[in-house]
Amino acid sequence: MQDTQEPIQDVAHLGHVEILTPRPDESLHFFKEVMGLEETDRQGQSVYLRAWGDYDHCTLKLTEASHAGLGHVGWRAVSPQALDRRVKALAAVGQGQRWMDGDIGHGAAYQFTDPDGHPMEVYYESQKYLAPEEMKSRLFNQPQKYIARGAGVRRIDHVNLMCSHVPTNRQFLQDSLGFHLRELLQPEQDGTEEGAWLSVTPLVHDIAYTRDFTGSHGRLHHIAYWLDSREEVLRTADILSENDIFIEGGPAKHNITQAFYLYCYEPGSNRVEIYSSTYLIFAPDWEPVIWRKKERGRGVYWGGTLPESFKTYGTPVVPVDEANKKNIATVFDPA
Amino acid sequence: MQDTQEPIQDVAHLGHVEILTPRPDESLHFFKEVMGLEETDRQGQSVYLRAWGDYDHCTLKLTEASHAGLGHVGWRAVSPQALDRRVKALAAVGQGQRWMDGDIGHGAAYQFTDPDGHPMEVYYESQKYLAPEEMKSRLFNQPQKYIARGAGVRRIDHVNLMCSHVPTNRQFLQDSLGFHLRELLQPEQDGTEEGAWLSVTPLVHDIAYTRDFTGSHGRLHHIAYWLDSREEVLRTADILSENDIFIEGGPAKHNITQAFYLYCYEPGSNRVEIYSSTYLIFAPDWEPVIWRKKERGRGVYWGGTLPESFKTYGTPVVPVDEANKKNIATVFDPA
Amino acid sequence: MQDTQEPIQDVAHLGHVEILTPRPDESLHFFKEVMGLEETDRQGQSVYLRAWGDYDHCTLKLTEASHAGLGHVGWRAVSPQALDRRVKALAAVGQGQRWMDGDIGHGAAYQFTDPDGHPMEVYYESQKYLAPEEMKSRLFNQPQKYIARGAGVRRIDHVNLMCSHVPTNRQFLQDSLGFHLRELLQPEQDGTEEGAWLSVTPLVHDIAYTRDFTGSHGRLHHIAYWLDSREEVLRTADILSENDIFIEGGPAKHNITQAFYLYCYEPGSNRVEIYSSTYLIFAPDWEPVIWRKKERGRGVYWGGTLPESFKTYGTPVVPVDEANKKNIATVFDPA
Amino acid sequence: MQDTQEPIQDVAHLGHVEILTPRPDESLHFFKEVMGLEETDRQGQSVYLRAWGDYDHCTLKLTEASHAGLGHVGWRAVSPQALDRRVKALAAVGQGQRWMDGDIGHGAAYQFTDPDGHPMEVYYESQKYLAPEEMKSRLFNQPQKYIARGAGVRRIDHVNLMCSHVPTNRQFLQDSLGFHLRELLQPEQDGTEEGAWLSVTPLVHDIAYTRDFTGSHGRLHHIAYWLDSREEVLRTADILSENDIFIEGGPAKHNITQAFYLYCYEPGSNRVEIYSSTYLIFAPDWEPVIWRKKERGRGVYWGGTLPESFKTYGTPVVPVDEANKKNIATVFDPA
């Protein structure tokens, strides 16, 4: 029996994402009325939200800012000891920054950035959502009543970050936080990575990195919320259409992650994905799936392609000129 | 920051279940043509099967025997070291038995029983399924082509075992193998446990124990295969009906696990569940959900009750007399 | 070529149903917030409603009254000439009553009753729903924006009336209005009819008659609204549960009509069905499908039975004593 | 009350479509194994097929020929008298041809062509499908057991024919056969019609005409089979992908007809649509919905466009040169 190194199992799951919006009222209306999220708190320039199926007090922190983009990504550790180990590892590679006292929804958090500069934090103490009496579900294992408002998304699923160099960033998450590489987009034989999908859970990704063809740093590609069925994603497409929300791609099926997806832009300019019907990975020795251009043969599973904006549009929005688009031969499928 | 004991994270997932059937041909026809499983091997009195979405070589071992019931349950460890730790722990509590050399689909396994006598094993080395060329999917992250035959179930989900004393058995899994208790059925204030749902993964259960009201030992309540959508479960109900397979309960929605379910009896008498649309648990500090009779108010979520056979029918099938049914006041919802 | 009599094709479709409620506020809340209907008008003690996919100005007239039950059923004729022919035919058999000037949503209507005493009317002039600018859909063939509120039912489907003698009433509709008999429930060889499903459209029924085992007259069994998918019916079951609305039966699949159904009681006591996934009949020479007890073998398609209340509960609600229940051997499936 | 002319109600429904294939074996395999149709007969160079939910003996006649394309379209009349009236009307406008004795599945039929030259026939006597004992469904209102093979399509839905001049052909169907114009695609103010959707049933179309931008005559755009749910259309997309069948468009939602669609090419080159989730028209005075380019704003409902092949590809396949494509500014949505 081979004596392999044991896997790191210190990060439990994606806890929350903070996104920035220059149009806080319109963004809030979108997330509450169109997506169906619940507001749980407000503080300063921020509103704290969660989906009806999220067990934590907050999975989305929506903060007013001069421009759209990522505020930060919060990861929850499995135990105080695990948190301590990750803090040491982050500090050791020079990406650690400082401890902060906590925020609405969680306790003390250690702040760091990935190599591309996206702010992140890791913490253990977390506040569970406790529904007020009138919002308690008849299902005691459900954090609150089902919300039949707008899309009625169920829970946060993942975050996708754009970066200038995919390998550096994904390797950082693997080495310092114990993420598993699940799928990898390497269109050409030269090995250039255009996307990487990683997770600490059986979800095929808790986070993805996709190459930023504009050469920018620290941008957000999208955040994703989950629906239990493809039928509900289709229903959401109708709701978005009737609300004049731009649908950039889908509903359709990704090759990568196998997911049934839909991408739209919320009024503050951030891309939001509605996501369902992917697969789970339980094998402790999963071999990353490598996608090459010639093998894929087409952009998305059933045919068609994703729009070119998939390689250049992110938040903050930056001008796209011919120079920074020069490497975009074909638009692939960054799930 | 509290200095809690760190969780055991040594068992990766449910690997496979062996079930026994006195009607091997009819059972095989059911699993292949009605459920849509794929046969991957045969040896001795056994046929090895898996669903199109199972990454392992075998998730169901169907073995001819004089009576229906459970052969054994196989658990995969996360690493060789983890396997070693679990073997020591099992031996320490006197439930361990012996090493066996392995079987089709996996390497050396350590055999043990739970306190109720159900045979189990734990192993690390596992054989991935490799599709022959003509069965390779265009989705490289999918182990083979999608199977549009019968129900076309996607992957194994869980196993449910009947036992005479639920607390003893669930505590054994928690202490010796690191299972998390997710939900618990304690109808009365006296604390009697009628069911326990446990997992090592974010699935709400990889295994459940439900009380055997006949007082028997070592019986199988059911095995469950997963479908991605409730719509496919409904479609399966049509397929079962047209094939004259008895549907004991559902399609309907459980309170416990929130799952959309359907129970049927395969021709060899074993109960099989078609299962979908449950919830995932990512919190490392999940508090078990306790279900009591008075709070539930009804048997299953939308109304109605499960048939009384839920408390007494299992395999091997045993006679049910008035004496051993005396404690069955109302039939609850053992997901 | 046989010289058969040509079919009557004078009634176009079910136009609207008026139901009575002793709890007008709670009933209105149910139909608007839980079912997702839209209010289009008010007059006197009545509120006029329609589903987002109904092309007419009103399909449900909700009227305050001392007790629950049926107000009337409105049928639309295909042309003025067709209306004229039907009025003559109704008068000829003595069921006609009088012309009324019209109501919100339609023009002059001829009032009549069926033999059991249910008030009905037939008319031609009908007011189409015209959405205000802000409610216009991007789909010009849809009468208004899709409503993502509550169940979001799409359109009225049918009405089911209880009656003391099924053959008399269904034959009246066939002879005087040109309804086609689609399915018939005759449990025993003695030919007693317990239910009849009839339509003028390819829907398997625009109206059903089911036997009233209490011996009452003129009662309402239920009205039904349509959803496009079974998935949405399941979603509605969750919504009803969270709103503490009693679900009497389903979600499940009928034998008769093949429909996927769910029955609940609105706060005013009337039974409401959520209905989907039935079949269409285009054949001009359809032979009625006869259901007998011994051939059916079970109550509903996948197993289980409908509750006994199906044979006795209707509105107005009447006491059910042992005497009037004496003929209820088993509860069948009056879709 | 206005004294309008009464509508013609003589054609009952689309009975069957004959399509031609130069690859009869591959086409037959596609329709039986991938689509899930049932073979009911063979004669000469033809195989007769139907879906499990079709009540007629045959809805698809697949005939070997030197090239792909339309054989003929068969319409069933509501009565012998109605057939007689339609024969007279067809002869009166000079489109009638001759009586033929009948074919497998139907009796004497009167043959005619539409102005563009597509062969059609109208008949009354029709053979119902009678399932052999082992194929009888437990649902007596269903013509046979549900078929869980391949896509498992339920019933024929409609046919779409390409033609050089849409107004001439649709007006012919309206005047001579009593079809209702349901939707009309007139992109520009000049009134040029690019597509027309017509029906005799409440289906939004039993037949569509779309403009042939190559200037050819008598070509087939597609035939369509129905599935009950959008979920099953998505499942079909997976099945087609795994069978290497080219998906030209969808799964997505049409503006016109609101349908959820998918287009593929069967091995014989004919386009086939998988179709679901449209709306029904019951109003006897339906006003045709007119679609203009500027109002639509985009190609299909949720975004994206249909491929250009939609305006030029049909069967028989003809070369597409720059000259005959000159009027194709943007590809619209010919459902």
Side-chain angles (χ1 to χ4, degrees), chain B residues 160-163 166 194-197 208-212 221 310 334-335:
Chain B
N160 183 316
L161 306 178
M162 300 180 94
C163 64
V166 170
E194 294 201 358
W197 288 257
Y209 280 112
T210 48
R211 183 175 166 198
D212 192 330
H221 195 275
F310 241 71

Side-chain angles (χ1 to χ4, degrees), chain A residues 200-211:
Chain A
V200 288
T201 68
L203 299 183
V204 62
H205 68 318
D206 301 312
I207 186 169
Y209 280 113
T210 47
R211 183 174 166 199

Side-chain angles (χ1 to χ4, degrees), chain A residues 2 4 6 9 13 55 76 79-81 85 138 141 154 183 202 255 257-258 279 282 285 298, chain B residues 2 4 6 9 13 55 76 79-81 85 138 141 154 183 202 255 257-258 279 282 285 298:
Chain A
Q2 196 190 351
T4 50
E6 291 207 68
Q9 298 185 69
H13 64 90
Y55 292 91
R76 188 174 184 205
S79 67
Q81 299 91 329
R85 283 191 294 269
R138 296 182 70 144
N141 47 17
R154 179 171 190 143
E183 304 201 26
N255 281 304
T257 78
Q258 299 176 22
Y279 69 104
F282 297 110
D285 53 354
R298 45 186 176 177
Chain B
Q2 194 189 354
T4 51
E6 291 206 67
Q9 300 185 70
H13 64 92
Y55 292 92
R76 189 175 181 204
S79 67
Q81 299 91 330
R85 283 192 293 270
R138 295 182 69 146
N141 48 17
R154 178 171 191 143
E183 305 201 26
N255 282 304
T257 79
Q258 298 175 23
Y279 70 103
F282 298 110
D285 53 353
R298 46 185 175 178

Side-chain angles (χ1 to χ4, degrees), chain A residues 1-7 9-10 12-13 52 55-56 76-83 85 99 108 124-126 128 137-143 154-156 183 201-203 206 228-230 232 253-258 277-287 289-292 295-298 301, chain B residues 1-7 9-10 12-13 52 55-56 76-83 85 99 108 124-126 128 137-143 154-156 183 201-203 206 228-230 232 253-258 277-287 289-292 295-298 301:
Chain A
M1 197 167 285
Q2 196 190 351
D3 200 50
T4 50
Q5 194 183 341
E6 291 207 68
Q9 298 185 69
D10 285 350
H13 64 90
W52 61 265
Y55 292 91
D56 287 343
R76 188 174 184 205
V78 298
S79 67
Q81 299 91 329
L83 174 58
R85 283 191 294 269
W99 281 96
Y124 172 70
E125 287 179 0
S126 177
K128 284 192 178 58
S137 175
R138 296 182 70 144
L139 290 169
F140 305 142
N141 47 17
Q142 193 168 290
R154 179 171 190 143
R155 61 169 175 78
I156 197 169
E183 304 201 26
T201 68
L203 299 183
D206 301 312
D228 277 346
S229 70
R230 305 198 286 194
E232 287 170 289
K253 181 170 179 168
H254 280 304
N255 281 304
I256 296 171
T257 78
Q258 299 176 22
S277 198
T278 184
Y279 69 104
L280 298 173
I281 298 173
F282 297 110
D285 53 354
W286 178 259
E287 294 288 336
V289 176
I290 314 294
W291 295 90
R292 293 201 195 279
E295 288 169 330
R296 298 176 67 205
R298 45 186 176 177
Y301 182 49
Chain B
M1 198 167 287
Q2 194 189 354
D3 200 51
T4 51
Q5 192 181 344
E6 291 206 67
Q9 300 185 70
D10 285 349
H13 64 92
W52 61 265
Y55 292 92
D56 287 344
R76 189 175 181 204
V78 298
S79 67
Q81 299 91 330
L83 173 58
R85 283 192 293 270
W99 281 95
Y124 172 70
E125 287 179 359
S126 177
K128 286 191 178 59
S137 175
R138 295 182 69 146
L139 290 170
F140 306 142
N141 48 17
Q142 193 169 288
R154 178 171 191 143
R155 60 168 176 78
I156 196 168
E183 305 201 26
T201 68
L203 299 183
D206 301 312
D228 277 345
S229 69
R230 307 199 282 194
E232 289 171 288
K253 180 170 179 169
H254 280 305
N255 282 304
I256 296 171
T257 79
Q258 298 175 23
S277 198
T278 183
Y279 70 103
L280 298 173
I281 298 173
F282 298 110
D285 53 353
W286 178 259
E287 294 288 338
V289 175
I290 313 294
W291 295 90
R292 294 202 195 278
E295 291 170 328
R296 297 179 67 205
R298 46 185 175 178
Y301 182 48

